[in-house]
Amino acid sequence: MLPNNLGDVIMATPVLEGIKAKYPGCFCAYFVEDGFEAGIENNLYCDEIIKFPRKEIKRKLASGNEEEGIDFFKKVLRDIKNKNINIIINLFQHPYVSFIASLIKDKNIIGQYFLKEGNHAVLDAWSQYLYAVAFARQCNNLHAVDVYRRIAEVKDHGDGYTIQLKDEEKVNAQRYLNEKKCDPEKKIMLFQAGAALSSKRWPVEHFIKLGSMLISGGWQIVVTGSPSEKDCAMGIQQGIGQNCIVAAGETSFRQSMAICSLAAGCVTGDTAQMHASAGCKVPTYAIFGSTNPVETGPYGTGHYVFSAHCPNRPCFETECKTGICMRSVLPETIYACIANGDPGDSPRCDVYTTLVEKDGDYRLIALSRNAYAYFNPVDAYLTRLAFEKNIGSSNIPLSEFELSIRETREWLDDLDAMRKFLENYLKTRNNAAVKEFERLKTLMIRFKGIGAFWTALLNIRLNSVPLLDPNEGINKSLEACRETFHQISYAIGHYGL
Amino acid sequence: MPQDSALSDHQNNFNEKLQHIINTMGKEPLSEDEIVLLACREIASSYSRDERDYK
C-alpha cells in the first residue's frame, strides 16, 4: 500500500520485484488511489492493481449525506476483504490507510495500522526507522526505496525501478513525435520544467539557455508536463525557438513516460517524471533544491544530481522567495555533464552521480570538490548499526564518533531513569512515578543531534502501546524502553565506547 | 436527492456518532463500524498533491 503521488508509486516498484524474487509463486496486489496507477500499470511483478476510489468516497462524504459515503466505503472494503489477502505491507504514512489496513485484516500487517484500543501502531523495526527519519534527517543515509525494501524484508532487486511499457505505448509515442515533426536523426532531451512545489522548479531562463546549448550540439527538446504546466512549457519553447516540441498538457503521465523512453536524457526537478525517467533507464539530470536526493533521488545507476552548495539543505521549504539554490545550478554545469559526463573543474553547485549496486543500496557519489553531505556520516552509521548488525565496520576515524556517542550516552541515561520510574510504579502503584516518566520523556526534545532520532524512535514505540488496560500499557511501555535501551546500547557498544 | 433538513440531520447524526467514538476512545475497544467512521473522518480531510492549491 502506497497509494498516492505518482513518484511514490514508482518508488515502491523495487519492493514488488524483491517480493517476487523471494516468493516466486506469490500473488502480489498493489493498493493505489484511483488516478495514481500509471507508474504500476503493466508491471511484471504486480498481479493486480487495487484502485481505491478515495476522491469519490470523499466527495460522497462531503455531499451532506454521509451515510451514502460510508456505505460506499464499506462496499469497497468488502470487495478488498474478499480477496483474502495474507499479508499487508503498508508503506504509506497517512492515517487513513492505517485504518483501512486494520479494516481489511486483523493481523499480519507490516507498517502502520490502527488498534481497536484506539491508537495507531507501528510495530516493525524498519517502519519505525522510516517514521523516525522525518524527525532527524541528518541521521539517515538510506533512499526511501531501500527503507521500503527493508520493511518488506526483501533483498534482491535489479538496479532500479521497474517500469514496463507496452510496445504499443512506445509505437504511439513515436507516432506522436512524428506528428510533431520530431527529427528521427536527432537525439531527444526531455525537459520536465514544472513541479508540484515552486521550490522544486528550476528557472525557465535556465531551461531556455540549456535548451539552446543542446540544440547547438545537435539535440532536440521535448517539454513534458501537466495541463497546468503548459504555459511554462510554451515559454521555454518560445525562448528556444526551433527544435523544441511542447507535449505538456497533451499527454497523460503514462504517455509522457512512453515519450521519455524514446529520449536520450531527461532534465528535471524532483518530480514524478524524474522517477519515471530513471525507471525507463534514461540518463536523468535531476536538479534538487529544498528536498533530499539521498532519500528521493533518481534510483538507479549513472544518473546525475545537481544541488546548491548550501549547508542548510535540505530545508524542505515548499515555497522559496529567492529561488537562489535552484538558480545556482547553472545550465553550463548540466550541459558539461550531458556532453562530457563530468561537471568540469569548478561548478558553482554540488554535483553527484548515482549508484545502485545489485541487490544493494543507492548512494550518491560526489563529482564536485567539497560537496556538502546530506547527512552526518557518524549518526547515519550508528542509527543503521542499531537496526542491522551486519553492515560492516565504518572507515570513519574513531575520534569523529565522540560527539554522537556522548549525546547517545546522555540520552541513554535519561531512558534508564524513565525505565526505573516505570518499574517503581509497578512496585508501588504510585502515580507520581508515571508523572516523572512523562516529565523525562518531554525533556527528551532537547536532543538535537542523534538524540533526536533516538527520541523519535522511542516515541513511535511508546505511541504504539495499546492503552486500554493501564497495567498492560505500563508493562508494554517498560518493554519498549528496555528494547530501545538494548538496541542503542548495542550500536555504541559495538565500538567499545 | 434528500432535502436540506434531511441532509442536516445526516450531518448531525454523523458528527454525534464521531463525537461519541472520540469520547469513548481509550475506555473500551472500538467496533469495526466505529473504526469505519474514524476512517471516513480521515478520508474526508485527506488530499493528494493534485488536490492542493500551491499558488
Side-chain angles (χ1 to χ4, degrees):
Chain A
M1 302 172 101
L2 187 55
N4 76 36
N5 291 341
L6 291 162
D8 289 357
V9 171
I10 294 172
M11 282 201 279
T13 58
V15 171
L16 294 173
E17 185 181 2
I19 290 171
K20 284 288 190 179
K22 190 171 177 181
Y23 309 104
C26 79
F27 186 90
C28 234
Y30 193 101
F31 176 96
V32 64
E33 280 181 22
D34 240 348
F36 289 91
E37 61 277 10
I40 198 80
E41 277 174 355
N42 201 38
N43 191 296
L44 281 176
Y45 308 105
C46 179
D47 299 297
E48 182 180 352
I49 298 172
I50 300 173
K51 291 186 200 172
F52 181 68
R54 183 189 58 81
K55 284 181 187 168
E56 192 176 347
I57 295 168
K58 184 179 171 179
R59 198 167 50 245
K60 286 179 190 289
L61 288 169
S63 69
N65 183 355
E66 283 80 9
E67 292 301 330
E68 191 190 352
I70 293 165
D71 288 345
F72 181 56
F73 177 48
K74 281 182 176 173
K75 184 192 170 304
V76 171
L77 282 175
R78 266 198 308 275
D79 290 346
I80 301 174
K81 262 178 144 174
N82 287 340
K83 295 180 190 297
N84 294 321
I85 292 160
N86 297 112
I87 298 173
I88 290 175
I89 302 171
N90 176 14
L91 301 173
F92 199 45
Q93 299 188 41
H94 194 288
Y96 97 75
V97 178
S98 168
F99 285 116
I100 290 173
S102 307
L103 289 165
I104 297 171
K105 276 200 81 64
D106 56 4
K107 56 183 178 181
N108 292 337
I109 303 170
I110 298 169
Q112 192 184 41
Y113 63 101
F114 188 73
L115 303 172
K116 64 181 183 308
E117 286 85 353
N119 55 304
H120 295 279
V122 181
L123 296 182
D124 61 291
W126 279 103
S127 292
Q128 291 170 344
Y129 179 97
L130 178 71
Y131 280 72
V133 163
F135 296 90
R137 294 192 182 273
Q138 79 282 2
C139 297
N140 172 51
N141 63 0
L142 286 175
H143 194 286
V145 168
D146 294 322
V147 181
Y148 295 159
R149 292 195 300 112
R150 283 166 169 80
I151 290 170
E153 297 181 11
V154 295
K155 188 174 181 294
D156 297 350
H157 66 102
D159 59 354
Y161 303 125
T162 57
I163 286 180
Q164 274 102 23
L165 292 157
K166 291 178 186 168
D167 288 344
E168 183 190 340
E169 290 177 296
K170 290 187 181 180
V171 168
N172 286 340
Q174 188 59 62
R175 188 178 302 134
Y176 173 84
L177 292 174
N178 293 345
E179 284 168 7
K180 290 275 185 178
K181 312 280 185 238
C182 195
D183 186 341
E185 301 299 318
K186 288 183 175 171
K187 286 191 290 186
I188 297 169
M189 182 61 74
L190 203 84
F191 280 1
Q192 171 61 42
L197 306 175
S198 70
S199 58
K200 289 182 173 186
R201 292 178 203 140
W202 202 40
V204 166
E205 58 269 28
H206 280 6
F207 270 110
I208 292 170
K209 187 164 186 188
L210 177 62
S212 301
M213 292 166 85
L214 285 165
I215 282 164
S216 300
W219 291 72
Q220 59 194 332
I221 311 295
V222 176
V223 190
T224 52
S226 63
S228 65
E229 293 161 354
K230 182 152 188 167
D231 286 348
C232 169
M234 298 290 282
I236 292 171
Q237 187 190 42
Q238 276 176 0
I240 293 175
Q242 297 227 317
N243 293 313
C244 179
I245 294 164
V246 171
E250 296 180 7
T251 54
S252 66
F253 185 63
R254 191 86 194 159
Q255 288 167 325
S256 291
M257 288 202 294
I259 292 170
C260 185
S261 73
L262 303 175
C266 172
V267 179
T268 172
D270 175 14
T271 64
Q273 185 61 55
M274 175 192 78
H275 296 293
S277 171
C280 292
K281 315 293 182 211
V282 170
T284 304
Y285 305 89
I287 306 151
F288 274 73
S290 64
T291 52
N292 188 349
V294 168
E295 294 176 6
T296 57
Y299 195 82
T301 294
H303 306 297
Y304 289 83
V305 168
F306 306 86
S307 57
H309 187 65
C310 169
N312 297 325
R313 63 179 204 205
C315 64
F316 287 100
E317 292 293 334
T318 53
E319 301 284 335
C320 179
K321 283 178 185 160
T322 65
I324 282 174
C325 66
M326 291 302 265
R327 200 169 291 280
S328 72
V329 178
L330 298 179
E332 291 83 353
T333 308
I334 298 180
Y335 185 78
C337 287
I338 295 169
N340 313 318
D342 188 281
D345 287 338
S346 52
R348 283 185 38 199
C349 62
D350 291 345
V351 185
Y352 308 83
T353 188
T354 65
L355 175 70
V356 176
E357 286 161 357
K358 173 112 178 81
D359 302 331
D361 293 326
Y362 164 98
R363 58 194 166 98
L364 292 178
I365 298 163
L367 295 179
S368 51
R369 279 194 295 271
N370 305 318
Y372 284 116
Y374 274 91
F375 54 86
N376 177 323
V378 170
D379 292 354
Y381 181 74
L382 287 174
T383 50
R384 285 274 299 280
L385 194 60
F387 282 80
E388 48 191 355
K389 295 181 171 132
N390 58 348
I391 60 167
S393 57
S394 92
N395 52 9
I396 305 168
L398 213 55
S399 59
E400 291 184 23
F401 281 80
E402 195 181 325
L403 198 64
S404 301
I405 296 292
R406 197 187 314 139
E407 183 169 333
T408 300
R409 285 212 171 284
E410 192 188 335
W411 190 91
L412 284 172
D413 285 347
D414 277 19
L415 180 60
D416 204 35
M418 287 166 66
R419 174 186 63 80
K420 284 174 183 159
F421 279 120
L422 289 184
E423 286 172 346
N424 181 267
Y425 171 82
L426 290 173
K427 275 184 206 151
T428 64
R429 302 291 160 178
N430 183 347
N431 286 337
V434 177
K435 282 186 182 160
E436 276 304 298
F437 169 85
E438 288 293 340
R439 189 182 65 81
L440 286 180
K441 185 158 81 82
T442 307
L443 285 176
M444 278 186 158
I445 58 166
R446 74 182 186 281
F447 292 100
K448 301 296 179 200
I450 194 169
F453 183 92
W454 303 136
T455 301
L457 181 65
L458 178 67
N459 282 330
I460 289 158
R461 287 175 177 171
L462 292 174
N463 291 339
S464 299
V465 170
L467 293 173
L468 215 53
D469 176 346
N471 202 42
E472 192 194 347
I474 295 288
N475 272 307
K476 284 196 180 295
S477 298
L478 182 58
E479 213 175 282
C481 289
R482 284 177 178 152
E483 181 197 349
T484 308
F485 188 91
H486 289 306
Q487 185 182 6
I488 297 171
S489 297
Y490 171 82
I492 60 166
H494 183 78
Y495 274 91
L497 294 162
Chain B
M1 288 290 287
Q3 298 301 305
D4 283 354
S5 60
L7 285 177
S8 174
D9 288 346
H10 277 299
Q11 179 88 43
N12 291 339
N13 192 19
F14 179 68
N15 289 341
E16 275 171 26
K17 279 185 191 167
L18 266 177
Q19 198 54 51
H20 173 74
I21 295 165
I22 291 160
N23 290 343
T24 54
M25 268 168 82
K27 292 176 188 159
E28 54 190 68
L30 297 169
S31 68
E32 185 169 319
D33 275 349
E34 287 172 325
I35 297 175
V36 164
L37 286 191
L38 290 172
C40 284
R41 186 179 64 156
E42 284 297 334
I43 290 170
S45 63
S46 66
Y47 50 83
S48 49
R49 242 175 231 177
D50 59 322
E51 291 170 289
R52 285 199 215 193
D53 180 9
Y54 284 105
K55 290 175 184 163

